[in-house]
Amino acid sequence: MNILINVIGATLLGLFAVYIFKRKSHAKRMNDYFSNAVRVYALTNEEDARIAIVTAAKVAAKKQRASMVNSLKRIASEIHKMSENDSKLKPHTSKFAESSIELAEEISSREWTINDINKQKEELGNINSEYLVALDKADPTIFSQKHPQLFKK
């Protein structure tokens, strides 16, 4: 009987560990999806990528969403500093810095309901169904597949 209890306990512990690992892996892939969408939006001004950014953030858990907002604010700050040092960059970077702040404000403006999230996902699906499928799978590679020139190493 004790052996059976130990086996069940070990199995449950193992299943819990697998669950935690998969959850962290999913969160990392969602962050990568978000970051890749930001890269595409920054370099192409593609509206589909902007909608993907907002959708990924709305789908994210509260803590992860806050991290995404902080990332956008940090990017805007760094771009602003760079453009102050190089006036030639300013015309090219100021619009994206402003957009980053606007995105951060939109994303953090309130807590998103399931209904809000579903509407946002529907909007993404209508504008770019491939980005929605990738979001649902937490697949960040969609952006490098669509824009390989932006992800060359």
Side-chain angles (χ1 to χ4, degrees):
M1 183 70 168
N2 284 340
I3 294 173
L4 181 59
I5 291 172
N6 287 340
V7 168
I8 291 172
T11 302
L12 289 175
L13 187 61
L15 289 173
F16 182 69
V18 168
Y19 169 77
I20 295 296
F21 175 76
K22 283 189 175 191
R23 190 168 172 161
K24 286 188 178 203
S25 174
H26 183 269
K28 183 188 179 325
R29 290 191 325 272
M30 285 299 290
N31 280 341
D32 291 345
Y33 178 98
F34 177 84
S35 296
N36 289 354
V38 169
R39 176 186 284 196
V40 169
Y41 183 60
L43 298 173
T44 68
N45 203 31
E46 178 188 272
E47 185 62 17
D48 296 13
R50 184 188 185 288
I51 300 299
I53 292 166
V54 174
T55 307
K58 286 184 180 181
V59 168
K62 186 177 182 176
K63 190 175 182 180
Q64 187 176 21
R65 187 178 319 117
S67 172
M68 292 171 170
V69 166
N70 289 337
S71 175
L72 286 169
K73 288 178 180 177
R74 188 173 48 256
I75 289 168
S77 176
E78 289 173 10
I79 288 173
H80 187 270
K81 287 178 188 173
M82 282 178 15
S83 65
E84 284 179 345
N85 295 336
D86 187 347
S87 60
K88 292 177 186 174
L89 283 177
K90 193 166 190 159
H92 304 291
T93 59
S94 61
K95 185 176 187 304
F96 180 70
E98 289 172 21
S99 293
S100 295
I101 294 298
E102 289 170 5
L103 281 167
E105 288 172 355
E106 179 181 350
I107 292 165
S108 62
S109 64
R110 64 188 179 103
E111 286 300 313
W112 302 102
T113 65
I114 296 296
N115 191 38
D116 295 327
I117 293 167
N118 287 336
K119 284 180 183 177
Q120 186 67 44
K121 288 178 78 173
E122 184 178 333
E123 181 181 355
L124 179 60
N126 288 339
I127 196 168
N128 193 316
S129 61
E130 291 176 294
Y131 284 1
L132 177 61
V133 169
L135 176 70
D136 287 339
K137 293 178 180 178
D139 178 11
T141 64
I142 185 67
F143 299 100
S144 60
Q145 291 169 12
K146 291 288 215 178
H147 303 277
Q149 71 282 8
L150 303 179
F151 293 88
K152 291 181 180 175
K153 292 185 180 197

